[in-house]
Amino acid sequence: MLEVIIVALYALLMAALGIVIIGIRYSENEKKDFNINSVFKHHKIYIALSVCMYFLLIVMVIIGKCVSNEISIEAILRWFTLLWGCLVIGYIDYKEHLIPNKIVLGMIGIRLVYMVIEVIQNKEYLKIVIMYPFLGAFIGALVMIIGMVISRKGLGMGDIKLFFVVGLYVGSQGIIPTMMYTFVISAAVGLILLALRRLKLKDVLPLAPFVFVGVLFKFILIMYGGIN
């Protein structure tokens, strides 16, 4: 029960941080002051997604802990950080077709803190704790670089940086499945939009929102599979 409370409070903190980031970025004030009323007025979609994700994640953790106790509290908090970061980036990418460097760097910084904690707790697995995240980041970035070359810049540097961060969080074992879920979901949505004539062949869908969905899908599988 204590773990669920910790997760709920941490998720609430991340949700609040996301709202602050959105509020400051889209502030109507030239000084970029945070205005909560403006967020609820102009960004209802983000608020709705944030609230739905909060309750969904808490329910998932409660059920998941009943199914499997193998996943650690540190791993859950790390995944929550990635999910909230991907939600914020996905929303910004949807609105601006842009992935902010500051948020990417912030997520890298938080991941490094978690790596230090993991190393302290697992000193005998020092090489593994360090190697898997960076290998995942390398694989994620490399695949996206190859995709950018093949697609002739259909993918951008922002997508490369985002998958570097995702790989850093999910590790070498999780990055390929996460990318696969992302691309399959984005392709399916793209085909549906083309069929409905809401999208043209020359149009480019922002990838970050689908990255969030891919990461969420991977997290669901982990919660019920007990894999960190």
Side-chain angles (χ1 to χ4, degrees):
M1 186 60 184
L2 178 60
E3 290 185 349
V4 174
I5 294 175
I6 292 174
V7 168
L9 291 175
Y10 186 82
L12 187 61
L13 175 64
M14 297 306 299
L17 179 60
I19 291 174
V20 170
I21 291 173
I22 294 299
I24 293 175
R25 186 174 187 86
Y26 298 107
S27 173
E28 298 174 340
N29 190 312
E30 292 183 0
K31 295 181 180 180
K32 293 297 182 181
D33 295 327
F34 174 68
N35 187 326
I36 187 66
N37 293 326
S38 178
V39 177
F40 279 90
K41 180 180 179 181
H42 299 292
H43 304 282
K44 294 184 178 67
I45 293 177
Y46 177 81
I47 294 297
L49 287 173
S50 187
V51 171
C52 289
M53 190 175 79
Y54 178 80
F55 287 106
L56 174 64
L57 291 177
I58 299 304
V59 171
M60 281 172 48
V61 168
I62 294 174
I63 297 176
K65 294 301 288 185
C66 293
V67 174
S68 173
N69 289 317
E70 294 181 22
I71 186 167
S72 66
I73 184 70
E74 293 82 5
I76 293 175
L77 298 182
R78 168 165 42 90
W79 274 90
F80 269 37
T81 303
L82 176 60
L83 283 164
W84 286 112
C86 286
L87 177 62
V88 174
I89 291 175
Y91 183 75
I92 293 173
D93 193 31
Y94 169 75
K95 292 181 70 66
E96 305 179 33
H97 283 237
L98 175 71
I99 295 176
N101 288 329
K102 289 182 180 180
I103 300 178
V104 169
L105 291 174
M107 292 178 68
I108 292 175
I110 295 174
R111 180 63 182 109
L112 293 177
V113 171
Y114 273 108
M115 285 180 64
V116 171
I117 295 173
E118 291 165 3
V119 167
I120 293 174
Q121 293 180 336
N122 304 279
K123 292 181 180 179
E124 64 273 22
Y125 300 113
L126 177 62
K127 292 183 179 179
I128 295 177
V129 170
I130 294 177
M131 181 180 67
Y132 281 3
F134 282 106
L135 182 57
F138 173 76
I139 293 172
L142 180 61
V143 171
M144 295 305 292
I145 290 173
I146 295 173
M148 185 175 70
V149 173
I150 294 175
S151 65
R152 296 181 180 180
K153 295 186 178 181
L155 298 172
M157 284 300 300
D159 300 317
I160 295 172
K161 289 180 287 188
L162 178 56
F163 269 108
F164 177 90
V165 173
V166 173
L168 200 61
Y169 274 81
V170 305
S172 56
Q173 293 181 326
I175 185 61
I176 295 299
T178 302
M179 297 182 85
M180 182 184 69
Y181 303 144
T182 298
F183 294 138
V184 169
I185 294 169
S186 63
V189 172
L191 290 174
I192 293 173
L193 292 177
L194 282 172
L196 296 175
R197 297 183 179 180
R198 301 288 299 274
L199 187 72
K200 298 179 181 178
L201 286 173
K202 63 180 181 180
D203 294 336
V204 178
L205 283 173
L207 186 61
F210 299 105
V211 175
F212 164 71
V213 178
V215 171
L216 179 60
F217 189 71
K218 178 62 178 175
F219 177 69
I220 293 173
L221 295 179
I222 285 178
M223 284 305 301
Y224 295 105
I227 304 171
N228 290 358

